[in-house]
Amino acid sequence: MSLIPGSGAITRILSLAIALPVSTNQLGGSSDWTTYLSLISYLFFIVLIFYGQRIQMYVMIREVENSLHKLKYIKEEGRKNAIDAIKEIGKPTTDPSARVDRYLEYFTISPQNMDPAGIVYKLDHILDVRDTRLKDEVKLMAPSSDEVQVNNLENTLEAAMALNFIYKVVRHYYIQGKKTLSLYVIMQIQMILPMIMKEAEAYASALKAFAYGQPIGDGAGALVAAKLMHGYELRKLPKDCVMATVQIEGRTAIIIKAEGPGGNVGKPGDAVEAVIEENEGKIANVIMIDAGLKLEGELVGEVAEGIGAAIGGPGVDQYKIEEKLTKYHIPINAVIIKEDIGDAVSPMRKEINDSVDKVIERVKAVILERTKEGDKIIIVGVGNSIGVGQ
Amino acid sequence: MAQNQTSPATKRISTYLMMIVLIVIALSIVSLILAANAYLIGDGLTAGFLAIIGLIAMTMSIFTLYQSRRQAVQMKIEMPKVMTTIECKKCGSKTVREYQRGDYVYKELDACPKCPDTKQIITAIYKEVKEKEKTYNV
Ligand SMILES: [Zn+2]
């Protein structure tokens, strides 16, 4: 809340109000109670001068506290939804609550970066271990779930984990602010609170989508790939990806996406690496399709085109793809579908779903302009393939 | 899942803010009374000043109240309905129904009622956001 301009305006009006009762007194409208009132006004004014910042701080603390209550509610709701989903899908024999609580506190330590050489593969390894560990944990919690459901539950729990983490960080700053009564400690969290709340709401919405297995906005790239490869013969690629060989405009296109419909982003880096090596680098072009963060003011579902490896995440996949492309001098193009963070993790919006055809048109245009007939190209649909088959 | 949930804790408006607003309202009322007083005495200029100050302070505090109320209303988790589109590739029939657990894009469903030899396919799953995003003319 903008109390800073508010309080400024209040003081200005008050100073006028103080000046005026005095003048009325002088003008002859004097009575005892107007004198008292002007004294009270003076007092109020003086209090504001000395304690204005402190009042402002209390207002900020209050604001953070309200958001914290909401975050706690969202977090609890997320935990409950996750437990319900595990009970419903996994049919555990014992109550999974204790295990879920332990899961929510899991942390991952990123590799030491003092000597950054080779850090990508260390990070890759750590993430692999984490993934396996979390999946095993889910299998223990939900014994009767199949592969797709394990993936969905893992994603659900990760959303709950994120909510838990956000709550704890905000709580940390709130308590620290209360303890130190420092405007600047409180200000730090208060300033970014709207963005934090937006993210938390997005995760809450994502959690439900994951629990139900609905496609999310981030899966836009996977959806495009699915549309291109649907009906063709599929082959599995390393680390949870699938590929299909499709003829597009006289070119042989190898379409890659994470295997659906379970919640899974796969490792497109490894998949692209494998395909390029299989073809001994004889690839004319790589086109990557992904959901991209939009700026405020841009439309959801807008399609944009550019150069570079369009892939998010910790950067391991991007690194691997770039390495191989550089080795064989393969050009890379990217097509992105604009959406904001909230759209990316909540159930797919109609605008994004409708933009799939536009993306395919763009991809075809790129193929026609940038490659020759008979060339071999790779098209990668990046994104979480939850709720998207192939 | 289509229900709206509101947390009871977030409905509260900051008591400090409330206190300040109440004080300002009280002062503005006093100012208006003083204005009336001055007007009765015959001091038109002072009456005008006091009336303007009273009205401005009153408007400001009511606006602040309204703003914090609107913030309280915004604190909801909304879950729009998710729809599933089912198509038959042969006759092109298209049906839209609410999402059911287990649906996914390109899932094969039962045979189409019109063409018993073709299976229907889910072609899209999406949510429709009814609320139009506010556009800024810049
Ligand atoms: Zn039919």
Side-chain angles (χ1 to χ4, degrees):
Chain A
M1 177 97 4
S2 59
L3 205 97
I4 309 159
S7 64
I10 290 170
T11 22
R12 246 178 290 131
I13 284 170
L14 273 174
S15 58
L16 271 174
I18 291 155
L20 276 161
V22 177
S23 66
T24 42
N25 283 351
Q26 285 164 346
L27 284 167
S30 74
S31 59
D32 283 345
W33 64 279
T34 45
T35 321
Y36 287 130
L37 268 172
S38 57
L39 274 176
I40 291 169
S41 303
Y42 273 124
L43 213 66
F44 188 60
F45 185 42
I46 289 163
V47 165
L48 271 188
I49 285 177
F50 286 103
Y51 295 99
Q53 203 187 43
R54 180 150 284 212
I55 291 171
Q56 194 181 326
M57 193 179 63
Y58 280 123
V59 171
M60 275 184 187
I61 289 180
R62 241 328 144 90
E63 210 177 301
V64 175
E65 194 182 313
N66 279 347
S67 298
L68 196 59
H69 277 300
K70 196 186 179 201
L71 279 177
K72 191 176 181 183
Y73 168 78
I74 293 176
K75 178 204 87 160
E76 292 293 334
E77 197 73 358
R79 177 182 171 270
K80 215 183 83 211
N81 282 333
I83 291 173
D84 286 349
I86 288 168
K87 279 184 182 159
E88 201 182 320
I89 297 167
K91 312 217 165 34
T93 43
T94 52
D95 186 26
S97 304
R99 255 213 138 80
V100 169
D101 288 336
R102 225 168 61 203
Y103 190 105
L104 294 184
E105 299 293 328
Y106 267 30
F107 58 85
T108 310
I109 300 167
S110 56
Q112 176 52 250
N113 58 5
M114 257 195 293
D115 178 14
I119 195 172
V120 173
Y121 293 95
K122 289 182 205 162
L123 181 61
D124 195 25
H125 172 66
I126 298 254
L127 291 175
D128 278 348
V129 174
R130 176 179 191 268
D131 195 50
T132 318
R133 176 77 205 266
L134 293 185
K135 280 217 173 88
D136 288 348
E137 198 76 19
V138 173
K139 277 177 202 152
L140 281 175
M141 277 190 257
S144 58
S145 50
D146 58 31
E147 204 58 42
V148 169
Q149 286 163 338
V150 166
N151 280 337
N152 289 357
L153 286 176
E154 196 210 338
N155 278 324
T156 308
L157 282 165
E158 276 197 50
M161 217 192 243
L163 286 174
N164 191 43
F165 183 69
I166 293 174
Y167 167 71
K168 287 207 295 188
V169 170
V170 175
R171 185 182 63 182
H172 168 77
Y173 278 97
Y174 167 72
I175 294 176
Q176 205 175 45
K178 269 207 136 172
K179 270 187 182 167
T180 56
L181 276 186
S182 157
L183 184 66
Y184 301 99
V185 173
I186 275 294
M187 234 178 182
Q188 281 183 67
I189 198 80
Q190 192 261 354
M191 283 189 296
I192 54 166
L193 208 53
M195 276 73 88
I196 292 179
M197 294 311 285
K198 196 177 170 190
E199 204 164 315
E201 268 160 41
Y203 275 118
S205 152
L207 199 142
K208 286 222 162 170
F210 287 139
Y212 284 86
Q214 293 163 344
I216 56 170
D218 180 53
L223 189 64
V224 174
K227 186 151 189 177
L228 287 171
M229 64 166 46
H230 179 62
Y232 290 87
E233 199 189 327
L234 298 170
R235 211 188 88 195
K236 291 210 177 200
L237 282 177
K239 242 354 207 159
D240 305 328
C241 287
V242 286
M243 64 161 267
T245 312
V246 179
Q247 295 297 320
I248 301 175
E249 312 280 353
R251 283 83 165 159
T252 309
I254 297 164
I255 321 274
I256 300 172
K257 84 181 263 291
E259 192 175 5
N264 158 34
V265 289
K267 280 184 145 191
D270 290 5
V272 171
E273 231 176 8
V275 171
I276 292 178
E277 285 301 339
E278 249 171 50
N279 290 285
E280 288 152 349
K282 291 188 186 72
I283 300 289
N285 215 314
V286 174
I287 302 169
M288 297 188 77
I289 305 154
D290 195 7
L293 271 193
K294 81 176 182 79
L295 295 172
E296 289 291 353
E298 288 182 312
L299 290 175
V300 177
E302 233 173 48
V303 181
E305 194 190 310
I307 306 295
I311 183 165
V316 174
D317 291 289
Q318 191 179 355
Y319 177 87
K320 285 181 180 168
I321 293 171
E322 284 166 355
E323 276 262 302
K324 275 286 167 267
L325 293 176
T326 315
K327 184 178 168 193
Y328 293 107
H329 301 289
I330 303 166
I332 181 152
N333 289 281
V335 177
I336 59 164
I337 301 132
K338 301 269 178 88
E339 51 194 81
D340 73 15
I341 178 82
D343 300 326
V345 293
S346 60
M348 187 177 285
R349 278 175 68 157
K350 191 167 191 300
E351 294 92 326
I352 299 170
N353 185 65
D354 292 348
S355 69
V356 167
D357 290 326
K358 275 190 277 174
V359 174
I360 292 177
E361 284 309 306
R362 277 304 254 287
V363 168
K364 280 184 181 162
V366 173
I367 293 172
L368 283 173
E369 285 164 17
R370 320 284 339 156
T371 62
K372 296 190 295 287
E373 219 155 302
D375 276 350
K376 209 169 218 180
I377 56 168
I378 298 176
I379 299 174
V380 195
V382 181
N384 195 321
S385 67
I386 189 162
V388 182
Q390 51 267 322
Chain B
M1 61 174 294
Q3 76 275 36
N4 294 338
Q5 297 143 325
T6 321
S7 119
T10 53
K11 273 194 169 168
R12 285 191 314 222
I13 298 166
S14 158
T15 39
Y16 290 97
L17 194 69
M18 199 65 184
M19 198 181 72
I20 291 170
V21 165
L22 285 180
I23 291 173
V24 173
I25 285 185
L27 282 172
S28 64
I29 288 170
V30 168
S31 167
L32 287 176
I33 292 170
L34 284 177
N37 206 18
Y39 184 72
L40 288 179
I41 293 164
D43 186 356
L45 189 69
T46 315
F49 267 127
L50 285 171
I52 287 167
I53 287 164
L55 285 176
I56 287 174
M58 189 84 99
T59 323
M60 266 185 46
S61 39
I62 288 169
F63 178 70
T64 313
L65 268 187
Y66 169 75
Q67 249 194 343
S68 40
R69 217 192 74 85
R70 215 178 43 177
Q71 263 201 344
V73 172
Q74 272 174 0
M75 290 218 179
K76 271 184 197 167
I77 313 171
E78 275 182 42
M79 295 286 167
K81 264 187 193 156
V82 177
M83 307 306 289
T84 300
T85 311
I86 301 161
E87 272 180 61
C88 168
K89 289 282 172 211
K90 204 172 173 189
C91 66
S93 74
K94 207 173 180 181
T95 40
V96 178
R97 64 158 163 80
E98 214 169 307
Y99 178 87
Q100 286 167 11
R101 186 167 251 170
D103 281 1
Y104 62 84
V105 181
Y106 296 121
K107 184 188 187 183
E108 288 189 343
L109 299 173
D110 300 339
C112 167
K114 281 183 224 154
C115 2
D117 56 330
T118 325
K119 278 187 172 159
Q120 286 175 299
I121 292 172
I122 295 178
T123 52
I125 297 170
Y126 56 82
K127 71 167 179 203
E128 241 172 308
V129 184
K130 282 185 207 86
E131 204 179 321
K132 266 272 167 225
E133 212 174 307
K134 200 175 172 188
T135 48
Y136 297 88
N137 204 8
V138 278

